[in-house]
Amino acid sequence: MPKISLQDKRVIIVDDQRPFLLMLKGIISKLGVRSLRIVQTAESSIADCKKEKFDVVIADLHLGTNKKNGYQLIEQLRVQKLTKPDTVYMMVSGDSHRPVVLGSIERNPDDYIIKPFSQAQLINRLSKAFEKKQALKSIHLEIFKENWDAAIQAAQTLLGTATKYRQSIILLLTELYWRTTEYDQAHALLSEVLEHKNLPWAQVAMARTKLLMGEYEESIKLARQIVSGRLLALEGHDILAKSYMALERYPDAMAQIRLALDLSPFSMERQYMGASIGRINKDYEFAKQCCKELFEQSKRSVHRDLIHMCNFVRSIVDIAENAEDKGKKNKYQQEAMLTLQRLRTDELVVRSADDFSYDAFANLMTGRINSLDGKSIEAKNSLSAAQREIAEKFDQMPMVLAPDTINLMVKVGDFKQAKELTNDLRDSNYQIDENIEFLLEQVGTEIESQSGKFEHYNQKGLDCFNAGKYQAAFEAFGHALKYSQVNGDVAINLLHCSNRLMEQTNKPELITIVETKKTVKMLEEISLNEQQSTEFIKLKSDLSQYMELK
């Protein structure tokens, strides 16, 4: 006889293999369910969960090639709150490959059962999972409502009365203390457990608590013990990587994140950490691999977002930008261009057409690639093309395009605009992830090192011009252009100085003529706004009286 009755419960089973789906249906039907749905895709189950609140979700891990899988389904149901606080999630899989199993377990299903299994085994495991979820229902209800203080109170009450599931209650309470930054409370709770017995799960929780408390040497000591015990080595490697990062022991952090990703690559949080650690160790190829995984894993998950695609393309250009030899640089420039072509028809891009301009993004990335070869004019024109695309399609700058616009602005010397857009991005509600934060820090450093000199010479040029010191102004604007080679406003100001100098002498200096012609040629090749264009046409006409201009 089954240990569980599902007489008043709603159950949904998700499996892409119809024979197995029907077998599960037969087993669950015998438990007297109120409602039973069987579907073959995660998308169908999500649609059903939006209409009906199920008490039990049984999902196979693999739900078809290039389809949302079982753990991505469970994650989405939880994040979007499409099920009840006490819904039981059971994962079923015939895949015992360690990375797959660990990736599934990290999503915290209520149980994970490997095929093949008997009817009795399934019912027994489902019964235990259901009983446990009901016993802890008061905690899960408050967590679902994000009432953290009430959840802590519920956990403390259960801990004081329950004789069963104490480990689960302590872990839930510890996680709640972490969430509310009550690290001392978590430490006291776990210390009491560890005084009686050195349990691996409590060791992991204590190591994580030490990490959160900033006691990095202690978290390292505990994590090393965890890794040596092998049972929960994955958690140990994660904690070691974060602890070493906090202590700026970057090579050690790199070694640990590599080990963690080898064990379980199917974690977006871990891939984010890998990308960050890779970049800080200047291992841009490793960072690119992590960004690629983030993009691929996010495409069919609740975390689906254009930000991951943009980060992936940026990571390829990062390798080219930091390559020490020309061959490697060219290889990744070509890879970036080919990736841009391929992604144009990606489903994510097509579906996001109303909120995103792929043409603008491609122009921004092409401009950055051109800037690596010193092609400032081409980079400037790519930026202008992207800005036109954005202005024509949107009333305001879509913040997903802001990071690359800022980056390219800095590359072509538009420092003031880059600063303004950076402030807009930080003031917006747009999620700035670790990858974008790294980009902003990099361009911020570049702005600080270059813009001060540019602004100094530009202001000197303006002051000298207003004082009638046209030769000094001409030289100052020339210096400013060294830091902002395709700045239209500065170039036009230099031509104004040249024109005044021409008016004052019958025999201008050769250097003045050469620099003037070079500046005219540059302005003819870059995109100018309407005001700049009008001013340039007049200046060119005036200067043609004194020199031959094409």
Side-chain angles (χ1 to χ4, degrees):
M1 293 293 290
K3 296 181 180 180
I4 182 175
S5 171
L6 300 178
Q7 199 163 16
D8 61 340
K9 305 302 179 187
R10 296 176 170 87
V11 179
I12 185 166
I13 305 171
V14 195
D15 197 304
D16 65 323
Q17 300 296 318
R18 187 158 182 79
F20 196 78
L21 190 65
L22 294 174
M23 184 200 78
L24 284 175
K25 178 184 177 183
I27 295 172
I28 300 300
S29 295
K30 294 176 183 178
L31 302 178
V33 296
R34 174 180 172 182
S35 168
L36 176 60
R37 287 282 298 153
I38 60 169
V39 293
Q40 290 184 271
T41 68
E43 287 74 15
S44 297
S45 68
I46 289 168
D48 283 338
C49 287
K50 288 178 179 178
K51 300 172 187 174
E52 188 175 2
K53 297 295 183 184
F54 291 96
D55 300 281
V56 179
V57 176
I58 302 174
D60 192 74
L61 172 60
H62 298 294
L63 297 173
T65 305
N66 296 324
K67 298 284 184 70
K68 193 188 301 289
N69 62 36
Y71 64 67
Q72 289 172 330
L73 166 63
I74 288 177
E75 189 173 32
Q76 183 164 346
L77 294 177
R78 281 180 173 152
V79 169
Q80 295 182 344
K81 297 185 176 181
L82 298 178
T83 51
K84 302 194 294 186
D86 57 340
T87 294
V88 170
Y89 299 96
M90 175 165 277
M91 186 82 73
V92 177
S93 177
D95 192 339
S96 58
H97 191 48
R98 183 172 62 180
V100 173
V101 173
L102 288 173
S104 302
I105 291 173
E106 285 190 277
R107 268 60 178 193
N108 292 316
D110 293 290
D111 206 347
Y112 183 92
I113 186 167
I114 298 288
K115 300 176 185 176
F117 50 79
S118 68
Q119 175 176 319
Q121 285 175 316
L122 176 65
I123 293 173
N124 182 54
R125 298 277 286 273
L126 185 58
S127 173
K128 288 181 177 179
F130 196 83
E131 180 185 276
K132 179 180 175 182
K133 206 65 176 274
Q134 289 303 303
L136 307 182
K137 182 176 180 178
S138 61
I139 306 173
H140 290 298
L141 179 62
E142 299 303 335
I143 291 174
F144 186 83
K145 294 188 290 187
E146 298 183 16
N147 291 337
W148 311 122
D149 290 339
I152 288 172
Q153 182 61 53
Q156 289 172 336
T157 300
L158 275 181
L159 194 59
T161 58
T163 55
K164 202 172 184 181
Y165 308 122
R166 288 186 63 82
Q167 176 181 328
S168 298
I169 297 168
I170 289 169
L171 276 173
L172 281 170
L173 184 52
T174 300
E175 289 168 4
L176 287 163
Y177 284 143
W178 292 341
R179 181 177 285 277
T180 56
T181 67
E182 297 177 73
Y183 305 134
D184 289 338
Q185 295 278 42
H187 189 278
L189 178 63
L190 294 167
S191 295
E192 188 177 341
V193 173
L194 290 167
E195 279 178 12
H196 292 89
K197 194 171 183 181
N198 212 18
L199 299 168
W201 63 266
Q203 275 187 308
V204 170
M206 179 60 89
R208 200 170 293 278
T209 301
K210 292 288 188 182
L211 172 66
L212 292 168
M213 294 174 78
E215 297 180 15
Y216 304 122
E217 295 294 350
E218 286 297 312
S219 64
I220 288 170
K221 181 180 176 181
L222 286 168
R224 282 174 177 165
Q225 293 174 12
I226 294 161
V227 168
S228 66
R230 299 178 70 94
L231 179 63
L232 298 171
L234 175 61
E235 288 85 347
H237 290 306
D238 280 342
I239 293 166
L240 284 169
K242 291 177 181 177
S243 300
Y244 287 137
M245 277 292 285
L247 292 172
E248 299 184 1
R249 292 171 57 179
Y250 302 131
D252 289 331
M254 188 72 178
Q256 293 301 320
I257 195 62
R258 283 184 182 278
L259 290 167
L261 285 168
D262 283 345
L263 285 171
S264 182
F266 302 115
S267 161
M268 291 189 63
E269 180 185 356
R270 191 168 295 115
Q271 293 290 354
Y272 261 121
M273 183 162 55
S276 296
I277 295 173
R279 277 192 297 265
I280 208 161
N281 279 281
K282 301 190 184 303
D283 190 338
Y284 295 100
E285 289 176 272
F286 181 75
K288 171 218 162 183
Q289 188 57 42
C290 292
C291 287
K292 182 179 181 182
E293 282 295 320
L294 279 166
F295 176 45
E296 293 298 333
Q297 290 181 31
S298 68
K299 284 169 73 172
R300 288 172 289 278
S301 79
V302 70
H303 306 293
R304 172 191 178 109
D305 197 296
L306 286 162
I307 190 174
H308 303 301
M309 181 204 72
C310 296
N311 284 334
F312 170 45
V313 179
R314 287 181 201 127
S315 70
I316 303 172
V317 185
D318 284 342
I319 303 174
E321 186 169 351
N322 292 278
E324 293 182 357
D325 64 86
K326 190 173 181 180
K328 184 176 180 180
K329 174 184 170 184
N330 290 339
K331 173 188 172 183
Y332 283 102
Q333 283 177 307
Q334 290 172 17
E335 182 177 331
M337 295 302 294
L338 288 171
T339 302
L340 282 170
Q341 292 175 24
R342 177 173 55 81
L343 290 176
R344 184 176 288 277
T345 57
D346 188 89
E347 181 190 3
L348 177 61
V349 173
V350 174
R351 285 174 174 262
S352 307
D354 293 339
D355 306 310
F356 182 71
S357 170
Y358 193 81
D359 286 338
F361 177 69
N363 273 316
L364 291 168
M365 298 312 300
T366 301
R368 186 178 166 200
I369 291 167
N370 282 329
S371 74
L372 299 184
D373 290 327
K375 298 177 180 178
S376 300
I377 290 172
E378 290 87 342
K380 176 72 170 182
N381 289 335
S382 292
L383 174 61
S384 298
Q387 290 173 319
R388 284 194 301 273
E389 288 278 350
I390 292 167
E392 288 170 8
K393 187 169 183 178
F394 306 103
D395 293 331
Q396 293 181 323
M397 162 72 76
M399 286 298 121
V400 67
L401 294 171
D404 297 295
T405 305
I406 293 165
N407 197 353
L408 189 51
M409 282 175 170
V410 172
K411 300 298 182 194
V412 300
D414 290 349
F415 303 117
K416 182 180 178 183
Q417 296 92 322
K419 284 181 181 179
E420 290 172 352
L421 187 53
T422 299
N423 291 335
D424 290 343
L425 176 58
R426 291 201 179 279
D427 291 342
S428 73
N429 294 323
Y430 187 70
Q431 179 187 354
I432 298 177
D433 68 6
E434 292 95 327
N435 295 304
I436 293 175
E437 188 61 52
F438 177 81
L439 182 153
L440 293 178
E441 288 176 5
Q442 292 291 100
V443 297
T445 301
E446 201 168 341
I447 288 173
E448 287 302 313
S449 67
Q450 298 293 317
S451 67
K453 297 169 186 175
F454 165 75
E455 288 168 5
H456 166 73
Y457 286 115
N458 186 48
Q459 188 60 50
K460 182 178 179 181
L462 293 170
D463 293 341
C464 289
F465 185 88
N466 291 331
K469 300 175 182 178
Y470 303 123
Q471 183 61 43
F474 183 88
E475 292 172 2
F477 286 131
H479 282 299
L481 282 172
K482 291 178 181 178
Y483 298 100
S484 182
Q485 296 177 9
V486 284
N487 190 304
D489 288 333
V490 176
I492 287 171
N493 284 340
L494 184 142
L495 293 186
H496 275 297
C497 295
S498 178
N499 193 40
R500 294 296 179 91
L501 289 170
M502 298 298 169
E503 291 172 350
Q504 292 177 350
T505 180
N506 294 324
K507 192 176 181 181
E509 292 185 16
L510 180 60
I511 186 65
T512 305
I513 295 172
V514 171
E515 288 300 315
T516 299
K517 287 185 175 183
K518 187 171 77 171
T519 304
V520 167
K521 186 175 184 298
M522 181 268 284
L523 286 168
E524 287 175 334
E525 293 179 349
I526 67 170
S527 298
L528 300 173
N529 61 41
E530 188 175 347
Q531 180 182 341
Q532 289 172 333
S533 184
T534 301
E535 200 169 350
F536 174 53
I537 291 169
K538 184 178 185 307
L539 276 167
K540 187 178 177 183
S541 175
D542 292 342
L543 287 164
S544 64
Q545 301 174 50
Y546 309 106
M547 64 188 76
E548 185 179 345
L549 296 174
K550 293 181 181 179

